[in-house]
Amino acid sequence: MGKKVYAIKEGFNSSTNQKIQNEIVDTWAECLKYVKGVKGAKYKSFEDIKEAKKFLQDAGNVFKKADDNYPKDCLHVYVDGSYNSTTQEYSYGMVAVKNDVVLHIESDSGKSSSSKNIRQIAGELEGAVKGCEYAVGCGEKEVVIFHDYVGICYHATGFWERKEESSKEYYKKMQELMKSGIEVMFVKVDSHTGDLFNELVDEKCKEKLGINSDKVVEKWLKKNIINVASDEVKGEIIKLAPSCEKNIIVVDSNNEVEKNEILKEKIKTHSFSDIVDLYTTDTEEISGVIHSLSSLDKTNFIIYLLEQTR
């Protein structure tokens, strides 16, 4: 048996008051100094230093939405959870989106048991399971799960050790779903940063528990439109933004995909000034195309508009 090394993905040095990230140490005593009593510490022992380095390089198969490098042409599911400490109820939510059309919204609540659930985390885990089940039920081969709790990915893949009953059950269910033939990818979204679909699922969770929200969805809809696949989905959003019904458009999702692709091709062959001209003649269609542009293209377009005011 070779000498063990200890790979520390996340820890803390109380002597220097600094985070410890992606370090390998030679002794358990040194490892313990950086992980003992540290909330969220991640570490593991290895007899092979190559395996230790691989562990540090593995991010648990999670993308970051800000990096904009996740698949765009498949089903996207946003998940979240909430918790009411007074009633000890938790809620889950999931919002399914494809090609910028909201296909499905689902949310519900349940009674929390301290021996089984971990406050709102239980809801977030349930939301991810519901999202994958929805994708499988629709015959999807790929699904991207957007989440603000990184454990959605790390518990599903087994990257984190599972101590609570909720995370153990979640791992089992997600492994069964992932082995059923669907590819599941995970994208971390920073919470409460104005991401529309993330805010939408957050507010649906709060709605189930009677918790007030910042009404980000309603504020966004007062200035923008959102495409949905059915009157049922539209009704779910109207509950959050009753004054914005006219900006919630029911579309044929299949036709919308084809139409957007055609319009995107048009934009590729036109300058930003042409896009402005097209907007004045066909506001609704061009608004949808602009909304679907990449983050970089949107930034460049905003810079162009600002320069026109100088």
Side-chain angles (χ1 to χ4, degrees):
M1 182 179 292
K3 181 182 177 183
K4 282 187 176 182
V5 294
Y6 300 85
I8 305 171
K9 183 170 279 290
E10 291 187 21
F12 189 79
N13 187 339
S14 58
S15 299
T16 61
N17 201 35
Q18 292 181 325
K19 285 184 177 180
I20 298 295
Q21 291 183 312
N22 300 326
E23 287 196 15
I24 296 176
V25 297
D26 295 324
T27 66
W28 170 238
E30 189 175 4
C31 178
L32 194 62
K33 182 171 67 174
Y34 299 139
V35 301
K36 185 178 180 180
V38 178
K39 185 177 181 180
K42 293 192 282 290
Y43 57 96
K44 195 172 182 180
S45 64
F46 296 90
E47 293 180 8
D48 185 342
I49 194 167
K50 290 182 180 179
E51 290 299 315
K53 290 179 178 179
K54 183 180 178 181
F55 169 75
L56 295 180
Q57 292 169 355
D58 185 3
N61 301 319
V62 62
F63 298 96
K64 291 184 178 179
K65 190 169 187 182
D67 293 339
D68 200 32
N69 60 351
Y70 54 88
K72 310 294 195 302
D73 57 350
C74 62
L75 182 69
H76 291 176
V77 175
Y78 290 74
V79 304
D80 206 353
S82 194
Y83 183 78
N84 187 322
S85 58
T86 302
T87 63
Q88 293 190 329
E89 288 181 303
Y90 73 91
S91 63
Y92 77 84
M94 59 84 74
V95 173
V97 182
K98 194 169 187 180
N99 299 298
D100 289 318
V101 178
V102 183
L103 305 179
H104 182 68
I105 295 176
E106 182 179 333
S107 60
D108 206 349
S109 61
K111 195 72 173 178
S112 177
S113 167
S114 58
S115 64
K116 188 176 181 180
N117 296 304
I118 333 169
R119 293 181 177 267
Q120 74 269 23
I121 293 174
E124 298 191 43
L125 300 180
E126 188 167 347
V129 171
K130 296 290 186 182
C132 288
E133 289 176 340
Y134 173 80
V136 171
C138 292
E140 298 286 345
K141 298 300 182 183
E142 297 178 324
V143 61
V144 180
I145 303 293
F146 292 82
H147 53 89
D148 54 29
Y149 169 54
V150 74
I152 291 295
C153 172
Y154 290 165
H155 282 312
T157 59
F159 187 66
W160 274 1
E161 182 182 358
R162 294 159 302 285
K163 298 179 180 180
E164 298 285 344
E165 191 64 27
S166 289
S167 59
K168 292 178 181 178
E169 291 180 6
Y170 172 70
Y171 172 76
K172 181 180 178 181
K173 290 178 180 177
M174 290 297 286
Q175 285 294 309
E176 290 174 354
L177 286 164
M178 290 189 286
K179 290 175 182 177
S180 70
I182 189 169
E183 181 180 0
V184 182
M185 292 154 280
F186 300 91
V187 176
K188 174 74 168 63
V189 183
D190 291 334
S191 59
H192 308 298
T193 54
D195 184 289
L196 175 63
F197 299 126
N198 194 53
E199 296 290 348
L200 176 56
V201 70
D202 173 74
E203 291 187 17
K204 293 305 292 184
C205 289
K206 287 184 170 66
E207 177 193 36
K208 279 295 175 182
L209 299 179
I211 298 174
N212 292 329
S213 73
D214 294 330
K215 298 188 179 299
V216 175
V217 173
E218 185 171 42
K219 293 173 184 175
W220 188 91
L221 277 172
K222 286 181 178 179
K223 299 179 180 179
N224 302 276
I225 63 170
I226 187 171
N227 291 328
V228 301
S230 67
D231 288 325
E232 181 181 358
V233 174
K234 180 174 182 175
E236 289 295 325
I237 300 177
I238 288 175
K239 293 176 184 177
L240 302 177
S243 64
C244 303
E245 182 175 355
K246 64 181 180 63
N247 283 356
I248 307 170
I249 312 299
V250 179
V251 299
D252 182 322
S253 57
N254 293 324
N255 288 343
E256 192 68 18
V257 172
E258 182 178 355
K259 181 175 68 176
N260 276 352
E261 290 303 319
I262 292 172
L263 286 168
K264 283 178 185 177
E265 288 300 319
K266 285 183 180 179
I267 282 184
K268 286 180 182 178
T269 61
H270 288 75
S271 65
F272 284 147
S273 61
D274 292 328
I275 294 175
V276 174
D277 292 337
L278 286 170
Y279 182 81
T280 60
T281 58
D282 202 338
T283 303
E284 184 175 323
E285 287 195 349
I286 298 302
S287 293
V289 174
I290 292 173
H291 178 67
S292 65
L293 292 176
S294 69
S295 298
L296 179 60
D297 287 339
K298 286 179 181 177
T299 299
N300 289 334
F301 187 43
I302 290 170
I303 291 172
Y304 165 79
L305 294 175
L306 291 173
E307 288 177 346
Q308 303 311 300
T309 64
R310 294 175 61 182

